[in-house]
Amino acid sequence: MSPNEKMWGGRFDGTGDPAFEAFNCSLGFDARLLQEDLEGSRAWARALGQAGVLEEGEVEQLVAALEQLGTELRDDPTPLSQSAAEDIHGFVEHALQARLGDLARKLHTGRSRNDQVATDLKLHLRGQAAELCAGTRELMSALVDLAHDTAELALPGHTHLQRAQAVTAGHHALAYVEMLGRDVSRLEAAQVRSDTCPLGAAALGGTAWPVDREALAADLGFGAGPTRNSMDAVSDRDHATEVIFACSLLMVHLSRLAEDWIFYCSQEAGYLRLGDEVSTGSSLMPQKRNPDALELVRGKCARVQGDLTTILTLQKGLPLTYDKDLQEDKECLFDALDTTRACLQVTTTVVRSARYDAERCRAACAGGFMEATDLADLLVQAGLPFRDAHGRVGAAVRAAESKGVCLADLDASDREQHLPELAGVDLASVLSVEACLDRHDCLGGTAPHQVQAQARAWKERLQA
Ligand code: ARG
């Protein structure tokens, strides 16, 4: 591009180095901000009209051309990939100039690409965050439906990846619903905090034209009005950072669900089976059925953690106000948004396809002495201090383990030695997995009727 084709060519002589021009160019990724750039430009045209910089007829022409541009490029975006413009703002300016000639050259009055790009990003994030919230809610609904169907299905619960206590599969599913619910509120809170309009901040010092920034912010739907400090406005990327953080934590949650379920699907556990539509085979081993969907979700979590590191490191020590470093905010942001959206969608399909093997789960609950704490509680009910009960049950577990039986099947002499207070109690019935689950009946506990109540409450919340 020659200097006079550039938005800023006036003080330059000679053409730029082609490798540098390619290096400097962001159109390949910021083309994604086209519609937001057009929206911001329409609002700026109206603001210049109110400020008396443009005549009413000029505003109308600009707004109409910007709208037309948006429609045409939505239908056919090829001009975006063929353009030599430096970025999306330059692209729009050129395209407008091709239509309106000199009138288009007035639009950038009192505006900078610095406040422009900050505004575009916030507008973009508003839509993207709403989409992510909707996708998260879809996944939550799938998990709530699963919880409803498996509120009574016993499953080994682990600590230290050792069998700990039986829980219900529904309880396990709702644990993820809680995490995802916090993720939605994090995304929403990030939007509330960034709901201010940077346009009018200009390059860094605020526009010199009598633009009504309150009206401009309202025009663009920013609920909290205009940004209050122009230097902050053009250099602030907290909004992108917070959304990437919300995505990374959401991805951490998805990766934990993925990991749990990859294990549940293993032959070693065998608790769960995923649908064919999200499973894959092996090119060599004909018998294989692999949980690739979940492994990819677990793996893609790493990308989003990388995106968060990128955006944080990008801003570390960056001097006020705008620096070109900030052009690097976009690819990590878009990658985090796209990756998270795709993972939410695939995970939702995985959850809807998943079927627990109730028999395998039940059989697994019979091993590992997961009823030991319940037995200690029974001794406490019979009058023993808990620490003594813990010691007694520990010894009973040792005896049962050495004989290869479960606690309910200890013989008379072991029972007499370790559990004399429970003489005559039908241990098989009070220590059955159902009885144990039912006893964990506190609010938030795994008793089936608590899980059913939580699933119902979530269903209502998600419908509201
Ligand atoms: N493409 C640039 C970015 O994304 C737009 C802002 C450029 N501003 C400037 N003063 N060079 O950051």
Side-chain angles (χ1 to χ4, degrees), residues 246-267:
C247 286
S248 4
L249 193 46
L250 201 164
M251 285 301 300
V252 165
H253 295 148
L254 296 189
S255 78
R256 294 183 77 171
L257 174 63
E259 171 61 19
D260 278 354
W261 278 21
I262 288 165
F263 168 63
Y264 289 4
C265 289
S266 68
Q267 280 82 9

Side-chain angles (χ1 to χ4, degrees), residues 8 24 26 29-30 33 86-89 112-114 117 237 322-330:
W8 40 260
N24 192 34
S26 57
F29 48 88
D30 69 13
L33 298 174
E86 181 180 312
D87 57 21
I88 189 61
H89 323 295
S112 159
R113 283 183 293 164
N114 300 352
V117 74
R237 293 296 181 273
Y322 178 86
D323 305 274
K324 194 62 173 263
D325 312 45
L326 289 174
Q327 182 161 284
E328 291 290 314
D329 61 358
K330 288 166 202 64

Side-chain angles (χ1 to χ4, degrees), residues 183-217:
D183 292 325
V184 169
S185 75
R186 248 183 296 277
L187 283 164
E188 288 172 346
Q191 289 314 292
V192 171
R193 248 192 302 282
S194 68
D195 200 17
T196 50
C197 181
L199 206 53
L204 77 164
T207 189
W209 297 89
V211 165
D212 180 349
R213 292 195 65 219
E214 297 282 354
L216 178 58

Side-chain angles (χ1 to χ4, degrees), residues 44-61:
W44 186 245
R46 287 189 284 266
L48 288 179
Q50 277 168 0
V53 178
L54 294 176
E55 283 162 22
E56 212 175 293
E58 292 180 317
V59 174
E60 277 166 22
Q61 278 188 71

Side-chain angles (χ1 to χ4, degrees), residues 376 379 384-398 418-419:
L379 286 174
L384 248 62
F386 178 75
R387 193 49 63 215
D388 297 340
H390 188 286
R392 293 272 215 86
V393 175
V397 166
R398 199 149 26 108
H418 303 297
L419 314 166

